[in-house]
């Protein structure tokens, strides 16, 4: 199953401001594209919580950050909230493929040790 949380161009093509959600081998993959700031953080937060509300529990949610060009603290806050929800519900939320800017954001905020980081999402 694949869903598209549009924001920006309104297309279903995984455009530069899309947040895609799909199931890959029992893992729900949330894939934001483009830049994550306060304007887009609410849609990102909702996509993450929707992924964690799936009927099959416990399960894994992978946040594929390979197509995220930039994120400010509002994007990180959405991830931290989703991480707390995952922990409370016995699910696993992890990050895949973050760029150096996002790694730096995790480091300077002290959040780097709160997430498991994989080089790539499941395929």
């Amino acid at each position: 199953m694949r869903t598209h949380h549009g924001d920006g161009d309104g297309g279903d093509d995984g455009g530069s401001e899309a947040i895609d959600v799909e199931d890959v081998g029992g893992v729900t993959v949330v894939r934001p594209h483009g830049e994550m700031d306060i304007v887009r953080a609410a849609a990102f937060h909702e996509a993450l919580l929707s992924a964690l509300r799936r009927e099959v529990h416990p399960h894994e949610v992978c946040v594929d950050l390979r197509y995220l060009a930039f994120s400010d603290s509002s994007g990180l806050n959405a991830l931290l909230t989703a991480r707390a929800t995952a922990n409370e519900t016995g699910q696993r939320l992890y990050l895949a493929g973050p760029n150096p800017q996002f790694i730096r954001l995790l480091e300077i905020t002290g959040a780097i040790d709160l997430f498991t980081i994989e080089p790539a999402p499941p395929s």
Side-chain angles (χ1 to χ4, degrees):
M1 180 180 93
R2 181 181 175 137
T3 58
H4 175 82
H5 294 262
D7 133 85
D9 68 357
D12 289 331
D13 62 354
S16 65
E17 300 300 312
I19 302 170
D20 295 325
V21 180
E22 67 179 318
D23 291 324
V24 179
V27 177
T28 302
V29 179
V30 178
R31 185 176 297 113
H33 296 253
E35 296 186 357
M36 185 61 58
D37 56 20
I38 196 160
V39 173
R40 295 190 60 219
F44 184 44
H45 181 252
E46 185 53 40
L48 291 167
L49 292 184
S50 178
L52 290 166
R53 287 187 205 117
R54 301 280 171 112
E55 290 184 19
V56 179
H57 290 283
H59 84 286
E60 295 186 2
V61 174
C62 171
V63 184
D64 179 1
L65 298 172
R66 295 176 300 162
Y67 304 102
L68 188 66
F70 170 83
S71 180
D72 67 11
S73 61
S74 58
L76 176 58
N77 189 50
L79 283 170
L80 290 169
T81 302
R83 178 189 171 275
T85 300
N87 287 344
E88 291 168 5
T89 58
Q91 299 179 81
R92 178 176 182 243
L93 182 136
Y94 64 96
L95 310 179
N99 67 27
Q101 182 270 326
F102 196 84
I103 293 290
R104 182 72 180 131
L105 178 62
L106 292 171
E107 289 172 343
I108 63 175
T109 59
I112 189 86
D113 294 330
L114 299 177
F115 294 96
T116 298
I117 301 174
E118 301 289 344
S123 54

